[in-house]
Amino acid sequence: MSALPGRTLSRPTTSQPSGPRTAGPPAAWSPTSWSPRTRRRLAADAALLVVAAAFVLPLAWLLLASLDGEATLRVSVPGSPTLDNFQAVWTDEITFTPMLNSLLLCGGATVLTVACAVLAAYPLSRFRSRLVRPYLMTILFSTCLPITAIMVPVYGLFVQVDLVDTMYGTALFLAASQLPFAIWLMKNFMDGVPVILEEAAWTDGASWPQTLTRVILPLMGPGITVVMIYSFIMMWGNFFVPFMLLLSPDQLPASVTIFTFFGNYGQVAYGQLAAFSILYSTPVILLYVLIARRMGGGFALGGAVKG
């Protein structure tokens, strides 16, 4: 077959391979190739790891130092773990009496705080007035006052009314110091209970105290639990108030007697301090574990309002 006039046929100089094509070398991996969403997620994960390390390291030191007979401020695994630190603090003078004082002081103040917060939050939640919001803002502002700024006049008042060095007087002041924020929390939880349930109870002839105790409070179990745990924890770790108002050594709570482990000339029994801190934290942990079931449930209002 002849070629067309004016054109020449030429063979290709290179031939294509007949086998399958192989992929080239992978592209270089670089953080600049990440999407903005991936970068934000990695930054958030890194920040969470830093926060977790800030919490884990002190707890790790606490556990390891309590088992170390020669504990220091360094986080290190003890060469020969021992329970001598727990045996040293497991006495009536160091642990049992102060812990009992703390339970009586903080437990009584917590019950008083919750009871007063319920009675104060009910009218704030149910009655509409132009003074409710300013009153709540005043309550919220009072929680910002430092306790050290009001201890001098409080101490002078307690001296005049003969409440210094009394457990019930200290419990009253602890309850009063936690009451503003407890009222704020309790009012927000009480707003979640529908008013129609109270109206139904009133139709059946119930009074407002009966409505409060038989209708509202049973539905506010998680809210009351939150206020109770918050108030108890804040009182349990309070050092300054009982240190100023209680003078007798046999009435001091554990939050004050913990300073007995700090000796003169900067010498500290770190192992015994760590062991006592673990025992000191046990009641709060047990309290949370026992009632954590109710905290995660939410309000039991399913089917309460229907029609």
Side-chain angles (χ1 to χ4, degrees):
M1 185 176 183
S2 61
L4 295 176
R7 294 191 180 184
T8 59
L9 295 178
S10 61
R11 287 186 177 183
T13 58
T14 59
S15 60
Q16 297 293 335
S18 59
R21 299 182 61 184
T22 58
W29 180 78
S30 175
T32 57
S33 61
W34 294 343
S35 63
R37 182 177 180 182
T38 303
R39 295 178 186 176
R40 289 193 298 267
R41 185 182 62 185
L42 292 177
D45 293 341
L48 289 176
L49 288 176
V50 172
V51 174
F55 281 93
V56 169
L57 287 179
L59 294 177
W61 176 88
L62 197 67
L63 294 175
L64 296 176
S66 64
L67 301 175
D68 192 354
E70 300 178 354
T72 60
L73 286 177
R74 296 182 60 183
V75 180
S76 59
V77 179
S80 56
T82 178
L83 296 177
D84 293 342
N85 294 324
F86 289 95
Q87 294 177 358
V89 302
W90 197 259
T91 61
D92 292 336
E93 182 181 359
I94 297 178
T95 299
F96 294 116
T97 300
M99 292 282 282
L100 180 59
N101 293 336
S102 295
L103 289 174
L104 294 176
L105 187 65
C106 301
T110 300
V111 172
L112 183 61
T113 299
V114 172
C116 294
V118 168
L119 296 178
Y122 181 76
L124 294 174
S125 175
R126 291 300 184 254
F127 300 110
R128 297 291 178 261
S129 174
R130 290 180 296 180
L131 299 178
V132 170
R133 183 173 178 82
Y135 181 75
L136 290 175
M137 291 300 170
T138 304
I139 289 178
L140 189 61
F141 171 76
S142 62
T143 61
C144 303
L145 295 176
I147 196 68
T148 54
I150 61 177
M151 275 308 300
V152 173
V154 167
Y155 185 83
L157 176 64
F158 272 46
V159 170
Q160 294 180 2
V161 298
D162 199 18
L163 286 179
V164 176
D165 200 22
T166 59
M167 293 286 288
Y168 62 89
T170 307
L172 285 175
F173 182 71
L174 286 175
S177 62
Q178 294 299 323
L179 188 58
F181 195 71
I183 293 175
W184 183 276
L185 284 179
M186 195 72 70
K187 189 262 181 187
N188 291 332
F189 285 117
M190 196 170 291
D191 289 342
V193 180
V195 183
I196 191 173
L197 299 179
E198 296 180 70
E199 296 175 351
W202 293 336
T203 303
D204 294 336
S207 60
W208 76 265
Q210 293 175 336
T211 303
L212 178 63
T213 56
R214 298 184 181 183
V215 178
I216 298 178
L217 293 184
L219 297 175
M220 286 182 56
I224 295 177
T225 301
V226 170
V227 175
M228 181 174 62
I229 291 180
Y230 175 81
S231 301
F232 185 83
I233 291 177
M234 296 301 294
M235 297 175 190
W236 186 262
N238 195 311
F239 162 79
F240 191 67
V241 172
F243 178 76
M244 292 292 296
L245 300 181
L246 294 176
L247 306 178
S248 302
D250 57 342
Q251 291 186 352
L252 294 178
S255 60
V256 178
T257 58
I258 195 173
F259 272 82
T260 58
F261 299 102
F262 293 84
N264 297 327
Y265 306 105
Q267 297 179 356
V268 182
Y270 290 109
Q272 297 180 14
L273 176 62
F276 181 82
S277 300
I278 292 178
L279 297 176
Y280 176 61
S281 305
T282 302
V284 177
I285 297 175
L286 291 178
L287 175 65
Y288 176 77
V289 170
L290 290 176
I291 58 182
R293 235 178 4 181
R294 304 192 61 183
M295 290 182 60
F299 294 109
L301 299 179
V305 182
K306 184 179 179 181

